[in-house]
Amino acid sequence: MPSQSKNILFIMYDQLRFDYLSCAGHKSLETPNFDRVAAKGVRFTNAYVQSPVCGASRMSTYTGRYVASHGASWNKYPIRVGEMTMGDHLRALGMNCWLIGKTHMQADAEGMARLGIDKDSIIGVRQSECGFDPFIRDDGLHGNAYAGNYGENDGPYNNYLKSKGYDTDNPWAIYANGSVADGQLASGWFIENADKPANIREEDSETPWLTREAIKFVDMHDGPWCAHLSYIKPHWPYIVPAPYHNMYGPEDVQALIRDAAERENANPVYEAFFNNKIAETFQNDEARTKAIIAYMGLIKQCDDQLGVLLDHLEATGKDKETVIVLTSDHGDYLGDHWLGEKDLLHEPSVKVPMIIHDPDSACDSTRGTQSETLVEQIDLAATFVEMAGGTVPIHQLEGRSLLPFLQGRPVANWREFVISEYDYSIFPMAENLGMESWQARLFMVFDGRWKMVHSAGGHAPILFDLKTDPQEYHDLGTDPAYQAERDRLYDCLHEWGLRMSQRVTMSEAAVQHKKGQPQREGILVGVHHEEDLPEEFTALYVGPARQIHFEQQADRVRYGGEKDEAEND
Amino acid sequence: MPSQSKNILFIMYDQLRFDYLSCAGHKSLETPNFDRVAAKGVRFTNAYVQSPVCGASRMSTYTGRYVASHGASWNKYPIRVGEMTMGDHLRALGMNCWLIGKTHMQADAEGMARLGIDKDSIIGVRQSECGFDPFIRDDGLHGNAYAGNYGENDGPYNNYLKSKGYDTDNPWAIYANGSVADGQLASGWFIENADKPANIREEDSETPWLTREAIKFVDMHDGPWCAHLSYIKPHWPYIVPAPYHNMYGPEDVQALIRDAAERENANPVYEAFFNNKIAETFQNDEARTKAIIAYMGLIKQCDDQLGVLLDHLEATGKDKETVIVLTSDHGDYLGDHWLGEKDLLHEPSVKVPMIIHDPDSACDSTRGTQSETLVEQIDLAATFVEMAGGTVPIHQLEGRSLLPFLQGRPVANWREFVISEYDYSIFPMAENLGMESWQARLFMVFDGRWKMVHSAGGHAPILFDLKTDPQEYHDLGTDPAYQAERDRLYDCLHEWGLRMSQRVTMSEAAVQHKKGQPQREGILVGVHHEEDLPEEFTALYVGPARQIHFEQQADRVRYGGEKDEAEND
């Protein structure tokens, strides 16, 4: 049954690790507002993104399709023109779909030009914004501080800063992402500066700014709407304004998930990654600790701002009609497994927070519970379609609605494994491994206990048993004792590889309708005698009359006649 | 090296079996004009279509992509708006791409409407015609003779017939597809009438009509052009005008490729097909013989008309600058393997004629030869791109250019297997087998000797060894002795299933260009100290000057100041 709630506030944080919330057990970081939503909703503890990198992950989430299905497998790989999105599906159900913040979407300018779509038309804007109507679009990361590329600095956030008197071409780079030390810019791009306060008023930093925009949006729109409030943080650069910059100390940093054994006889793909420069930075304790302390401050700020937003919804009564979704596009290794950033497929990278609160009374029985259901983030698009009263178009959406779990209804034949993919073809690691770009792809299959990572480049798979090795230290990918597990997971992967993902123009209903249609339209195949078929079909071709037409035209149409020859010369 | 030939005449017949040509060894059917092209070009003896059904096969050929990649897996399943076609690729290289005849293309009307594309604009027409500019579009099969659906009867061929005095709403149904017996319409839809002459002047039947249209096209266009001359025949209905209707007799019919053993312990999918009504018709000797005699007449007519066209090209000198390609979209069981029609994946259905003549002198060394190369029909799009002087865009086209084989150049790493797919979800057989629509799919892997058919519905695979069993009588799909072969072919299929098929917006060159681009644009990741990077990158963020901007604005932008509080309330 659809949700009776009117609106969906779909909040995404960027690079928020699943275990950096107090409701998820962080040892010292208190996130009372995340916990407040969890207490009213369901927290899914096994939620996975379809790729551990912003662009690919988001394109999957926004289209409800696997990366291999939409093909936008890395940041700013354009999603092809015409690819159906959450916005397309929801608008067709009478629910507008808005963007407030980041998408990392790159428009398929070539495809739009080929199809004659004006990028400034409504259709063009939606094609360029991954199906959303942009209330605010800002992806953060505004690049150079002092030179070049200033054209990109006219985004809404930089314009806001300029309006507040931060008067430089790219105030993001100087203020939001900068501190001051000895009269010099101490840039947030360098982790050595992560312990300094950002050179900006806290209320002018990105998270409070975007929260105020979200409040503006909420106040302006009656609904039904879906609003994708998409925060830029706690994604790097690791720098945060006071008082968040020194709210935590080294004692608050959780223990490293890292073992010397991981580096012994390591899988070549993993080895290439833990030997890269970013990984080496996070193998340095000072850098790692500074980054994490700032990262925790950024999350604390996100939590405080979530509180501001929740208070506003409650004050206006909109909380009673608005579903709230809290998630992230991927995690952050933060030095775990000898790695920084995301990119590979260990839990800190590929698992995300997923909290859904639906105020509809049909969900009362599940409030405050956790679910170990295997969730893929592509399930959100299907969930929203069902919440909006639609039927999930399974020829287009590859995820499944989570609404039954929120409503405590039984679910038959839930998925037995989740898939995540990673394309590292633009990284030097691909070249170091001698990979062609289509070989530099990884596929993760995880069944809730066993996690296998297949390399399209022909390397051995990686295999972890999360039951006996929850920290993923012991790669069983080449251990003969686990051949049966690998075979089983490969069966899953191969079945998935042959899934029907592109028959996007024919719904199941249309396929069913088509059955027998040619015969109804007068196309008969393999019929020996007219008596072989019911008269309703054959009557179209049996009768006395038509010969007359032929005879009437006999002098013209009978072949071989002399008159014809003359006429046709 | 690209071909120096100017034009490509890409001729497709519909449902022409690979072995119904004299150059392919037919026992009595003489096709001197097909043979004439083969004598000047290369005949590929292992050419396979990507699906043994018109629509899906053609959408693969026209897009140069596997069925699972474009998703139009059955007749009139629309190819999605924006899907790149042969026409898009060739026009970008300065070669126009025309259609003369049939495509079986169904426009994605919903997608076009969503993107605001007017179907009558040039872009809209090309989207509706699978990337071709239609000189003539006519798919044949005009349906009802006496009732209903007359709107479809205004196609070019029916209009031609009407202009010639065949005065009824749907002259195709009455004349081209009809004979007369005892003053009654004897419809070509009933195979019992296949031995009667079609009720039409031979020159007005479809094949000569379309040949004349092709000659008109050739005379009107200087090139460079690619013209897809796409005949409707020898596709059923099995009926042909005199003198072709009785040019052959039962003694000309080749021996059945059929064995009682095939029906014993048959694979359930195969069993469902050989028990269907169409199959039963072709299990009847009288029906089968009548159909084949008419089918041979239709092919003979095609050959004669090919001669007319070749003569015209020679008479105008265009033969010297025009590549000629002869192929078909699939074959016809004609009772072999207890089956009629196509649909399954035995050789009579999935293997097609493929003859290519390139007059360019670079091809002189291969004239009149045969090649056993494993060819997929999607190779044609790549071949044409290379002929037109382009580089094959491997992120979009999944086939490979055959030009090196025509030019006798060595080819490294040619494919080791071909793939063909079949979606039977709209057939009653799917329901009889208890299949959901996405399960009613078959995948063929053929490596030149071993052919395996995988069923997505969980049935056992089918396996034939064409070396010891060229007639495909003995299904080894469950024989334990052949487990190793099945495993090997499954490895091929699974690797194919995980191929990168949808990254269609990023060329290899674009991926290579993107390497290191974020850093060049000022996005630094995981950098501990500024000294960790070359100055060209860090200089953007290191300097004394920017603090001044901050200090100048200090009263406004420093956090916590009293003046700020007042201003922002």
Side-chain angles (χ1 to χ4, degrees), chain A residues 68-71 73 75-78 80 82-84 108 114-116 123 127 141 143-147 163-168 174-175 180 183-185 187 189-192 197-201 203 236 278 281 284 286-287 341 394 425-426 431 437-438 441 454 493-494 496-500 502-506 508 511 514-515 521-530 539-544 546-547 549-550 553 556-559 564 568, chain B residues 68-71 73 75-78 80 82-84 108 114-116 123 127 141 143-147 149 164-168 174-175 180 183-185 187 189-192 197-201 203 236 278 281 284 286-287 341 394 425-426 431 437-438 441 454 493-494 496-500 502-506 508 511 514-515 521-530 540-544 546-547 549-550 553 556-559 564 568:
Chain A
S69 301
H70 60 67
S73 57
N75 290 333
K76 298 198 176 177
Y77 282 30
R80 96 178 91 194
E83 185 79 16
M84 291 281 281
D108 176 11
R114 200 166 57 240
L115 296 182
I123 289 170
Q127 286 297 312
L141 300 186
N144 298 353
Y146 295 127
S163 80
K164 287 288 175 182
Y166 297 84
D167 68 342
T168 180
I174 305 294
Y175 299 100
V180 180
Q184 303 282 309
L185 171 66
S187 173
W189 286 123
F190 307 116
I191 293 173
E192 62 182 327
N199 188 19
I200 195 168
R201 235 180 350 201
E203 69 189 52
W236 46 257
I278 298 170
T281 294
N284 176 295
E286 185 196 318
E341 264 273 80
I394 59 174
S425 54
I426 79 142
E431 272 171 29
S437 77
W438 55 91
R441 294 177 301 136
H454 165 68
L493 178 64
H494 293 147
W496 176 85
L498 294 175
R499 78 198 176 283
M500 189 181 70
Q502 304 300 327
R503 205 196 67 195
V504 294
T505 60
M506 287 292 287
E508 273 303 295
V511 170
K514 208 171 158 72
K515 289 188 178 183
E521 288 172 358
I523 306 294
L524 309 183
V525 191
V527 181
H528 191 180
H529 307 289
E530 59 173 90
L540 302 170
Y541 310 104
V542 181
R546 291 301 137 179
Q547 186 185 2
H549 287 272
F550 179 71
Q553 305 293 334
R556 295 183 60 207
V557 305
R558 187 167 291 162
Y559 38 81
D564 296 332
N568 278 282
Chain B
S69 300
H70 60 68
S73 57
N75 290 332
K76 298 197 177 177
Y77 283 28
R80 94 178 93 195
E83 185 80 15
M84 290 281 281
D108 177 11
R114 202 167 56 241
L115 295 182
I123 289 170
Q127 286 297 313
L141 299 186
N144 298 353
Y146 296 126
N149 270 345
K164 288 287 174 180
Y166 297 85
D167 67 341
T168 178
I174 305 295
Y175 299 101
V180 179
Q184 302 282 312
L185 171 66
S187 173
W189 285 124
F190 308 116
I191 293 173
E192 62 181 329
N199 188 18
I200 195 168
R201 237 179 350 197
E203 67 189 53
W236 46 256
I278 298 169
T281 295
N284 176 295
E286 184 196 318
E341 264 273 80
I394 59 173
S425 53
I426 79 142
E431 271 171 32
S437 79
W438 55 92
R441 293 178 302 136
H454 166 69
L493 178 64
H494 293 147
W496 175 85
L498 295 175
R499 77 197 177 284
M500 189 181 70
Q502 303 300 326
R503 206 196 67 194
V504 293
T505 61
M506 287 290 288
E508 274 302 295
V511 170
K514 208 172 158 72
K515 287 188 179 182
E521 289 172 356
I523 306 294
L524 308 183
V525 191
V527 181
H528 191 181
H529 306 290
E530 60 174 271
L540 303 169
Y541 310 104
V542 181
R546 293 299 138 179
Q547 186 185 1
H549 287 273
F550 179 72
Q553 304 294 334
R556 296 183 61 205
V557 305
R558 187 167 290 163
Y559 37 81
D564 297 333
N568 280 280

Side-chain angles (χ1 to χ4, degrees), chain A residues 208 267 275 300:
Chain A
N267 183 286
N275 283 330
K300 186 67 181 173

Side-chain angles (χ1 to χ4, degrees), chain B residues 251-265:
Chain B
E251 69 283 4
D252 297 309
V253 174
Q254 296 195 123
L256 263 172
I257 301 174
R258 195 174 89 178
D259 195 292
E262 293 182 272
R263 297 175 74 106
E264 290 162 20
N265 301 313

Side-chain angles (χ1 to χ4, degrees), chain B residues 28 33 62 111 151 202 225 234 246 269 275 287 321 371 388 435 437 448 457 466 473 481 511 540 561:
Chain B
S28 57
N33 293 296
Y62 303 152
E202 190 271 333
W225 46 253
N246 62 3
V269 179
N275 283 329
E321 56 188 27
S371 170
M435 299 288 95
S437 79
L466 272 75
Y473 288 157
V511 170
L540 303 169

Side-chain angles (χ1 to χ4, degrees), chain A residues 13-186:
Chain A
Y13 299 90
D14 198 320
Q15 198 140 335
L16 173 60
R17 248 175 88 138
F18 76 96
D19 58 346
Y20 270 61
L21 299 175
S22 42
C23 57
H26 193 282
K27 77 168 196 175
S28 58
L29 180 62
E30 291 298 327
T31 53
N33 293 296
F34 280 89
D35 301 3
R36 177 176 164 190
V37 180
K40 295 192 293 183
V42 177
R43 189 167 71 85
F44 293 92
T45 58
N46 275 306
Y48 292 83
V49 287
Q50 274 44 79
S51 185
V53 61
C54 295
S57 173
R58 288 162 181 269
M59 294 309 107
S60 280
T61 303
Y62 303 152
T63 62
R65 291 162 61 73
Y66 293 105
V67 173
S69 301
H70 60 67
S73 57
W74 212 73
N75 290 333
K76 298 198 176 177
Y77 282 30
I79 197 96
R80 96 178 91 194
V81 63
E83 185 79 16
M84 291 281 281
T85 62
M86 193 179 273
D88 294 316
H89 294 292
L90 294 180
R91 273 191 298 274
L93 296 165
M95 179 181 274
N96 285 317
C97 194
W98 292 89
L99 170 67
I100 309 165
K102 168 170 179 168
T103 60
H104 226 114
M105 159 77 178
Q106 179 85 358
D108 176 11
E110 229 176 275
M112 287 171 66
R114 200 166 57 240
L115 296 182
I117 298 172
D118 176 358
K119 67 180 174 45
D120 295 323
S121 65
I122 291 180
I123 289 170
V125 168
R126 287 175 179 163
Q127 286 297 312
S128 303
E129 299 291 353
C130 211
F132 294 107
D133 284 321
F135 183 76
I136 286 280
R137 159 83 186 262
D138 200 303
D139 279 4
L141 300 186
H142 297 281
N144 298 353
Y146 295 127
N149 270 344
Y150 285 107
E152 289 182 11
N153 296 330
D154 285 335
Y157 181 58
N158 260 338
N159 287 340
Y160 164 78
L161 291 182
K162 290 173 190 172
S163 80
K164 287 288 175 182
Y166 297 84
D167 68 342
T168 180
D169 283 334
N170 183 358
W172 178 87
I174 305 294
Y175 299 100
N177 190 35
S179 193
V180 180
D182 303 325
Q184 303 282 309
L185 171 66

